[in-house]
């Protein structure tokens, strides 16, 4: 179902709770990176830990990926919505089915994918261009993001997206194989 890639793909993590969500938020950012996002914007309780994790992984495994913190996420999202320079996709179990919706999401301008942690403000539904569900049952936002991105963007060209890596994983049936990359 891939129809290309947007010029920039941002994942907005709404409602991060420092103690409760630290692993899930770290995993959400790593999933966003692995499936082709350019950045994750963290909103909720300020927490440098996921930002450090994302930077460390990007430094070691390559790519042009950044994480940053936004103290006023709904104001930020509202501005993006009003500018008409972005398409906003909100992943929610209450949205329209992903299989029917992903073909309608344009890739000609930057996209913000909104993923909640705590209860998402109703305004997020209103400012989003698409409210999309990957199933209508409660489950992991990490799973929803992975399914959505893989279905919408298609397979990732790892060699082009993750350039500049210090190390590379070589697929193996029986063991871990990680080699240092050659400096170009």
């Amino acid at each position: 179902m891939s129809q290309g890639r947007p010029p920039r793909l941002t994942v907005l993590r709404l409602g991060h709770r420092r103690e409760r969500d630290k692993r899930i938020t770290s995993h959400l950012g790593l999933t966003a990176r692995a499936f082709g996002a350019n950045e994750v914007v963290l909103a909720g309780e300020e927490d440098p830990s996921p930002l450090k994790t994302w930077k460390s992984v990007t430094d070691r495994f390559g790519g042009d990926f950044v994480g940053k913190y936004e103290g006023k996420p709904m104001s930020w999202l509202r501005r993006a919505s009003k500018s008409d320079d972005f398409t906003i996709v909100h992943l929610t179990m209450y949205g329209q089915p992903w299989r029917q919706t992903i073909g309608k999401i344009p890739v000609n301008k930057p996209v913000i994918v909104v993923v909640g942690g705590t209860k998402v403000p109703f305004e997020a539904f209103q400012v989003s261009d698409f409210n999309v569900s990957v199933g209508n049952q409660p489950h992991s936002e990490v799973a929803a993001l992975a399914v959505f991105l893989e279905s919408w963007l298609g397979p990732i060209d790892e060699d082009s997206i993750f350039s500049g890596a210090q190390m590379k994983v070589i697929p193996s049936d029986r063991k871990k194989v990680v080699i240092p990359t050659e400096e170009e």
Side-chain angles (χ1 to χ4, degrees):
M1 291 197 183
S2 174
Q3 52 185 347
R5 297 188 50 79
R8 184 140 190 94
L9 177 57
T10 299
V11 174
L12 171 61
R13 169 58 159 164
L14 278 180
H16 170 71
R17 297 160 293 186
R18 187 178 188 142
E19 287 308 311
R20 182 173 176 186
D21 295 336
K22 63 178 130 186
R23 285 185 57 84
I24 198 84
T25 295
S26 285
H27 291 174
L28 185 84
L30 293 174
T31 299
R33 179 190 164 278
F35 283 83
N38 302 101
E39 71 178 340
V40 170
V41 175
L42 181 60
E45 294 177 22
E46 197 163 352
D47 184 358
S49 179
L51 301 174
K52 288 178 185 174
T53 296
W54 303 332
K55 181 174 181 349
S56 172
V57 169
T58 301
D59 288 347
R60 288 179 287 142
F61 291 95
D64 181 22
F65 180 83
V66 295
K68 61 186 180 184
Y69 178 76
E70 173 57 54
K72 297 183 177 185
M74 290 311 298
S75 295
W76 181 81
L77 197 58
R78 206 175 301 116
R79 281 192 307 276
S81 171
K82 289 179 182 174
S83 75
D84 200 39
D85 291 335
F86 298 90
T87 298
I88 301 173
V89 178
H90 174 212
L91 296 184
T92 171
M93 66 184 258
Y94 306 105
Q96 295 298 310
W98 60 280
R99 286 186 180 103
Q100 297 169 14
T101 308
I102 59 176
K104 300 173 186 173
I105 302 169
V107 294
N108 63 336
K109 59 185 177 179
V111 173
I112 299 170
V113 177
V114 180
V115 182
T118 58
K119 186 176 179 183
V120 173
F122 182 70
E123 185 180 8
F125 289 86
Q126 296 172 313
V127 300
S128 295
D129 299 298
F130 299 90
N131 290 290
V132 179
S133 70
V134 178
N136 298 114
Q137 295 294 317
H139 65 83
S140 165
E141 58 268 33
V142 178
L145 182 65
V147 168
F148 172 76
L149 290 178
E150 169 68 15
S151 299
W152 182 48
L153 299 176
I156 299 301
D157 177 3
E158 291 190 21
D159 290 333
S160 66
I161 290 182
F162 301 118
S163 63
Q166 296 173 5
M167 57 184 66
K168 182 175 182 172
V169 174
I170 305 300
S172 171
D173 286 338
R174 305 269 180 222
K175 61 184 178 179
K176 293 180 183 179
V177 180
V178 180
I179 61 169
T181 56
E182 301 288 326
E183 288 192 30
E184 300 182 55

